[in-house]
Amino acid sequence: MPRRFRGLSGQLLWLTVIFVMFAEVLIFVPSISVMRMTWLRDRLDTAAAAGIVIDGLQPAELPRAVQDDTLLATGTKVLALRKDGTSRLLAAIDVPPQVDDQYDLAAETALGSMHHALDTLLFGGGRVMRVFGPIGETDMIIELVMTDDALRKAMIGFSKLMFGISLLISVLTALFIYLAINRMMIGPIRRLTHGMQVFSERPEDPARIFRSGRAKGELAVAGRHLAAMQTELQRTLKQQKNLADLGLAVSKINHDMRNILASAQLMSDRLVDVDDPMVRSFAPKLLRTIDRAVGYTNEVLAYGQASEAAPRRRLLQLALLCQDVRDMLALDPEGGIEFIDQVAHDLEVDADSEQLFRVIHNLSRNAVQALVQADPPEDGGARRIQLSAQRVGSVVSIIIDDNGPGMPRKARENLFTAFRGAARSGGTGLGLAIARELVLAHGGTIALVEKPGPGTQFRIEIPDRPVSLENYRVRA
């Protein structure tokens, strides 16, 4: 069997043949029933014509030779006519046979006729039957006795003819359906499958993207979606390759940067011993900054390999952490950017100090960069960044607000997505992606808040850790 007839189209072809043949079988039963009734009525009509002629010769009796010729011509064994309530034997063989079945054609129903037809076709042959029915519109009834051999032979011939016609119809129907379906569905499916296979061999090759053409229909829509998916996958693979190359470069830079920061840390430790009050005031901040930088370089590979380390949470004063953020930003008083810290000194948050510092610092630095590139406010006021926080139950809500130009639409659509959610030209969007990951690690949420005026506002919500019952009992 050819290969193309073993596939989906070949299965459809054979199923169509089978189903059409099944439908023809359902049609065959009433058809063979009609054929049987027609055959019997033809015999009754022939016998009726002969019977009326013979009845007109009464009271004369037909010679034996004429009776035999009449019975031979009508194919019967006994011929009788029922008229005016009396029955007259018109012709009969010397020894009438024993009747096995009798049929009244005037009283036969459709179901009864189909049953009798199947019975004769399957089990008939050699049986004697008595058949009678009215002659036209008169009240005369013609009766005849005959064997079912001729009827069964005619029914077998009709069945063979019906089978041949049905087979021809089913094959032609299946062939037409096969050609139509193969053109409308199987062909496009094969093109889709081939397009997937070709693309999977070299997904980085733009020439292997599926070309859907201008066809219409569901399969054409599927082809266009496949092409779009392959294009997006190719873009993602290219981005992943760039990220892999970037990760290798960062690893090399990180290796040398750690050595440089270690040297800077050793030198900055000596600043504590300097007698200059200005140096003494800046030395602790410088040490904390270098310590953070050393910690970041030690963890930078962990971000690329898996995820951020689990937060080491404790209760800390949020105001001190915000003060560190302000010092790290090092805003120039003459730069026209005002940093407003409205965090209460007694407000505590249950969080990892370094990770929460990175979150607030990333968002604040983004705000500073946006304000530097923005025009002064229309109301003549200063460009400002405002930090505020409040505790509601076991959740601390931190608000970082600025009156800058706001985030562009593209950045909003890809918010918190690395390398796609950058709010400024040349940005990477890593700050927001890292901030979101750190907040989620605390079981919290971070969201961009819609505000009526200009600017950008982020809300961070950090919940307290649930207190276990055993620790509560120990403390109690």
Side-chain angles (χ1 to χ4, degrees), residues 268-282:
S268 61
D269 288 340
R270 300 178 183 177
L271 295 177
V272 181
D273 299 330
V274 177
D275 294 334
D276 190 337
M278 181 70 70
V279 175
R280 284 179 175 273
S281 62
F282 281 108

Side-chain angles (χ1 to χ4, degrees), residues 139-253:
D139 57 352
M140 293 185 295
I141 296 177
I142 189 71
E143 300 181 17
L144 53 87
V145 177
M146 57 186 297
T147 61
D148 64 351
D149 293 332
L151 174 60
R152 187 168 185 270
K153 182 179 180 181
M155 293 176 68
I156 292 175
F158 178 80
S159 300
K160 292 179 179 179
L161 179 62
M162 283 287 295
F163 176 78
I165 295 175
S166 300
L167 183 60
L168 179 61
I169 292 175
S170 62
V171 171
L172 291 177
T173 303
L175 183 61
F176 290 145
I177 293 178
Y178 167 78
L179 294 176
I181 296 299
N182 193 65
R183 178 180 178 85
M184 294 186 298
M185 187 172 67
I186 305 301
I189 290 178
R190 285 176 180 160
R191 288 188 64 244
L192 287 174
T193 305
H194 180 70
M196 295 177 190
Q197 182 179 0
V198 170
F199 181 81
S200 64
E201 294 173 355
R202 293 181 60 188
E204 71 281 357
D205 187 1
R208 293 178 178 256
I209 295 178
F210 182 77
R211 299 291 184 264
S212 59
R214 298 182 178 180
K216 299 180 180 179
E218 290 79 0
L219 291 176
V221 174
R224 287 191 286 271
H225 282 292
L226 174 62
M229 182 182 65
Q230 290 177 344
T231 303
E232 183 65 24
L233 178 60
Q234 199 170 84
R235 186 183 299 112
T236 303
L237 290 175
K238 183 178 180 180
Q239 187 181 83
Q240 293 296 328
K241 184 178 182 302
N242 294 338
L243 288 177
D245 295 339
L246 178 62
L248 179 61
V250 169
S251 300
K252 295 178 180 178
I253 296 173

Side-chain angles (χ1 to χ4, degrees), residues 28 32-33 35-37 39-40 101-103 108 112-129 131 146-156 159:
F28 170 76
I32 196 69
S33 172
M35 177 266 169
R36 169 183 170 272
M37 290 292 293
W39 191 89
L40 291 176
D101 300 307
Q102 57 180 351
Y103 306 108
E108 277 224 344
S113 178
M114 287 187 285
H115 171 72
H116 295 152
L118 292 177
D119 180 67
T120 302
L121 179 64
L122 299 177
F123 308 107
R127 295 190 295 190
V128 178
M129 58 181 178
V131 183
M146 57 186 297
T147 61
D148 64 351
D149 293 332
L151 174 60
R152 187 168 185 270
K153 182 179 180 181
M155 293 176 68
I156 292 175
S159 300

